[in-house]
Amino acid sequence: MEFTKPLPAYLVTRYHGWKATTYAENHAWYRRLATEGQRPRAMVISCCDSRVHVTSIFGADQGEFFIHRNIANLVPAYEPDGNHHGTSAAVEYAVTALKVAHVIVLGHSNCGGVQGCLDMCQGRAPELEEKSSFVGRWMDILKPGYEAVKDSPDMPRALEHEAVRVSLRNLMTFPFVQRAVEAGELSLHGLWTDIAEGGLHHLDAKSSGFVEV
């Protein structure tokens, strides 16, 4: 492919540093992961935002988490229409093939995707309303959540929290997720992290509010 380019030099340098240190010190573990396959206990659905680093937050090693990232950590409702569904495919694989015990939806502060949805709902982002906008059509998943929090004094944070709730509700529309939850084989969790403060909050089942961990 003539349009591809070599890796930037700084990434090449970092790779060689990793191979000479972290990999060299743990090569037996990496080979075991390769030959025995992955057995993650949890799936984490988080945002693409480069500031959200799931493995660092939980001090996780390779093989611990099955991680799926997308704009604003959203899960669409179950829709078996024969089209391409990357997030739904990841959920299906995690639950039915890997049989993870937990699915965690992790939202975060200052989320650009959520802000885009807020702007769109308030008429400030006509470009996202265009049918050709992939981001806009993806954020349509969150649009119903805007109505639930539109009177909140802190709209961005309220909608970030609502994105987690919407995704959890949508997860339960997948028949295989519902079956696993009802059988006690799978638990769903909602989290939100404050990037600036390093805080972590979990969704409380009784109050439907977020409580600091």
Side-chain angles (χ1 to χ4, degrees):
M1 294 185 178
E2 65 278 1
F3 52 84
T4 63
K5 303 291 184 183
L7 272 178
Y10 79 95
L11 291 180
V12 174
T13 299
R14 288 185 181 183
Y15 162 70
H16 285 299
W18 170 83
K19 187 69 181 291
T21 55
T22 302
Y23 176 81
E25 294 163 5
N26 300 278
H27 63 87
W29 169 244
Y30 283 99
R31 289 176 181 173
R32 180 179 173 183
L33 283 175
T35 57
E36 296 184 7
Q38 58 173 326
R39 294 184 180 86
R41 290 188 291 177
M43 175 186 191
V44 180
I45 300 169
S46 65
C47 186
C48 295
D49 195 301
S50 61
R51 300 166 296 177
V52 179
H53 204 287
V54 175
T55 52
S56 293
I57 291 173
F58 295 106
D61 290 324
Q62 284 86 348
E64 286 193 59
F65 290 151
F66 183 74
I67 300 174
H68 176 75
R69 304 180 72 153
N70 64 41
I71 300 295
N73 42 266
L74 291 173
V75 176
Y78 178 69
E79 191 175 8
D81 56 9
N83 291 325
H84 303 297
H85 295 279
T87 296
S88 300
V91 171
E92 179 184 41
Y93 187 72
V95 175
T96 65
L98 297 178
K99 299 190 182 303
V100 296
H102 310 277
V103 175
I104 300 166
V105 178
L106 175 63
H108 70 96
S109 62
N110 306 102
C111 180
V114 170
Q115 184 62 52
C117 182
L118 180 57
D119 291 341
M120 188 165 54
C121 290
Q122 295 181 342
R124 299 195 305 266
E127 71 281 3
L128 294 180
E129 296 285 4
E130 296 292 334
K131 187 176 181 180
S132 59
S133 173
F134 294 111
V135 172
R137 301 297 61 73
W138 182 251
M139 298 315 299
D140 284 343
I141 298 169
L142 182 54
K143 267 188 173 181
Y146 171 77
E147 293 299 318
V149 300
K150 65 180 180 181
D151 296 324
S152 171
D154 187 353
M155 272 297 300
R157 178 165 297 191
L159 197 54
E160 287 163 1
H161 288 174
E162 192 62 21
V164 176
R165 297 188 190 96
V166 166
S167 291
L168 289 168
R169 287 194 290 267
N170 284 345
L171 276 169
M172 286 298 288
T173 67
F174 289 77
F176 47 84
V177 171
Q178 184 177 5
R179 284 195 298 268
V181 169
E182 292 176 349
E185 299 167 352
L186 177 69
S187 60
L188 306 183
H189 311 269
L191 296 175
W192 177 88
T193 182
D194 187 320
I195 293 173
E197 301 299 327
L200 187 66
H201 297 71
H202 73 91
L203 180 60
D204 180 69
K206 292 183 179 178
S207 68
S208 291
F210 282 80
V211 181
E212 191 167 7
V213 172

